[in-house]
Amino acid sequence: MKILIVNKFYYNRGGDCTCTINLEHMLHANGYETAVYAMDYPENIETPFSKYFAKEVSFSGGIKNKLAAATRIFGGAGVKTSFAKILNEFKPDIVHFNNIHSYLSPVIVKMAKDFGAKTIWTMHDYKLVCPSYSCLLNGKSCELCIGGDKKNVLKTRCMKNSLSASLLAYLETLKWSTDKLEKYTDVYVCPSKFMADKMAQGGFDKNKIKVVCNFIPDTMINNITVNTGRKSYYAYVGRLSQEKGVTTLIKVASQLPYTFKIAGDGPLAAELKEQYEDCKNIEFLGRLNSSQVADLLSNAKFSVMPSECYENNPMGVIESLCFGTPVIGAKIGGIPELLEPSNGMLFRSGDESSLNRAIDTMWSLEYDYQQISKDSIERFNSKVYLNKVLETYK
């Protein structure tokens, strides 16, 4: 079986990229012949398949760049030529798409289907049901377009708070309608049941939707050491942005006596550091590498996932649990599917009082860190994922 893995970037830019790279490495390690296709980009991982990659486009810079990027959305700017070349030379049996919007295009799903390959598409965000990806409007959850009129993206200008960007997103939904995508796609892989339900709500065929939870690669699992003697702090690892709930979390943390360590970067980083620079129990660690994150999580009493958006199947929760570290999670999106009383607790998303009580309660609780890690590794290991994803390939 020859499998072509597709994502718009091929480096650890975000969760979708990490999951794509892990997928390709896992399939290759298990004896499958794999190739990758992405947009050419300076930070991409070196690969012999980069000669096939689509030319880089950017939505920033001059009008020429923006026009090329806009053309790419609808299948222009060279993406069809480059994708046709890898199809014809690699000749895949399966094409497994991941995050392809904007910098690539759904036209390549049609091309793969026309070529005769089976088409699998993993959903890392809500783009197919929400023109602006995030199901957010003014910082709050929004479902106006899910199963509804996509013109709402124009009325609300929710794509980057821009009329032009919202118009482009709307035109994209017209070009790549649900009916068209249904013809081109054999299976939609949703990492959470919540995502699967939203896809069905958006009009996609339930029979084509399969729930397959994300996994932790063997390279990480083999290096996990579960610390039973935890240090006196709790942690957050992730993007410092409004929808991630960090503003609510840090406000609550500043009112509690416990040490809180926050790792990550984002648009709110400078503002939050300045606002809480006199708060001695809050430590801003900035962006950490994978080994530093492992050290932070494996020594924490617990971690917090305070999201105020529809998280899909957050790797931050899965990784924390595999280190044996319990999680306080917002009751939103796919987060509740990952937690139970033995490995964490839930709070009402965006509710300061509910989060305050959860942190205060969790601080005094005792958890079996070894058992949390053992159960989580059994649940989120690559073999479990491989068996489920191979079922979608049949």
Side-chain angles (χ1 to χ4, degrees), residues 19-36:
C19 289
T20 300
I21 292 167
N22 289 344
L23 169 65
E24 194 271 326
H25 289 174
M26 177 194 66
L27 289 169
H28 186 75
N30 280 274
Y32 295 94
E33 187 175 353
T34 59
V36 294

Side-chain angles (χ1 to χ4, degrees), residues 85-285:
K85 187 173 182 180
I86 195 170
L87 284 177
N88 290 321
E89 295 187 11
F90 181 66
K91 295 180 170 51
D93 302 296
I94 306 289
V95 182
H96 193 146
F97 299 93
N98 289 271
N99 195 343
I100 62 171
H101 276 85
S102 299
Y103 294 98
L104 295 176
S105 168
V107 72
I108 62 179
V109 185
K110 179 181 186 302
M111 291 175 67
K113 185 67 174 176
D114 291 344
F115 180 79
K118 186 163 187 179
T119 53
I120 312 297
W121 196 346
T122 293
M123 300 291 105
H124 296 282
D125 59 35
Y126 298 89
K127 180 63 176 176
L128 296 194
V129 294
C130 169
S132 65
Y133 296 89
S134 62
C135 296
L136 285 172
L137 177 60
N138 299 322
K140 303 295 182 182
S141 299
C142 171
E143 298 189 6
L144 288 174
C145 290
I146 302 181
D149 190 345
K150 299 299 190 291
K151 284 184 180 177
N152 285 304
V153 71
L154 293 175
K155 296 175 183 177
T156 61
R157 301 188 183 187
C158 57
M159 185 67 168
K160 300 181 179 179
N161 294 315
S162 164
L163 178 59
S164 60
S166 297
L167 176 60
L168 192 60
Y170 175 64
L171 293 175
E172 187 177 11
T173 66
L174 296 182
K175 173 68 175 177
W176 308 114
S177 65
T178 301
D179 290 342
K180 287 182 181 177
L181 296 179
E182 288 277 64
K183 293 177 183 177
Y184 312 151
T185 310
D186 291 310
V187 180
Y188 299 100
V189 173
C190 293
S192 66
K193 183 179 181 300
F194 182 88
M195 168 67 83
D197 290 343
K198 293 304 167 193
M199 288 285 288
Q201 183 182 332
F204 287 88
D205 185 355
K206 291 181 180 179
N207 294 320
K208 287 190 172 187
I209 300 170
K210 305 298 179 185
V211 178
V212 184
C213 184
N214 289 326
F215 72 98
I216 297 293
D218 293 344
T219 51
M220 178 179 288
I221 287 177
N222 293 338
N223 289 316
I224 286 178
T225 299
V226 181
N227 296 327
T228 54
R230 298 299 173 115
K231 296 181 180 179
S232 294
Y233 68 84
Y234 63 106
Y236 168 81
V237 179
R239 181 172 167 81
L240 305 189
S241 56
Q242 190 67 40
E243 76 279 2
K244 294 299 184 180
V246 291
T247 301
T248 301
L249 173 57
I250 296 176
K251 183 177 180 181
V252 170
S254 70
Q255 300 166 359
L256 292 167
Y258 317 119
T259 298
F260 173 52
K261 298 189 178 188
I262 181 166
D265 202 355
L268 296 181
E271 176 186 334
L272 291 171
K273 285 180 184 178
E274 181 179 0
Q275 184 177 353
Y276 292 97
E277 63 180 347
D278 295 328
C279 194
K280 303 304 181 184
N281 68 317
I282 297 179
E283 299 179 27
F284 289 89
L285 305 177

Side-chain angles (χ1 to χ4, degrees), residues 283-325:
E283 299 179 27
F284 289 89
L285 305 177
R287 183 184 292 273
L288 304 182
N289 61 36
S290 57
S291 63
Q292 291 171 322
V293 169
D295 182 68
L296 177 70
L297 289 176
S298 62
N299 283 291
K301 287 176 71 69
F302 56 88
S303 68
V304 186
M305 181 63 68
S307 299
E308 295 173 12
C309 62
Y310 286 166
E311 292 283 2
N312 182 6
N313 187 235
M315 292 299 296
V317 174
I318 294 172
E319 289 175 2
S320 183
L321 294 176
C322 286
F323 283 112
T325 304

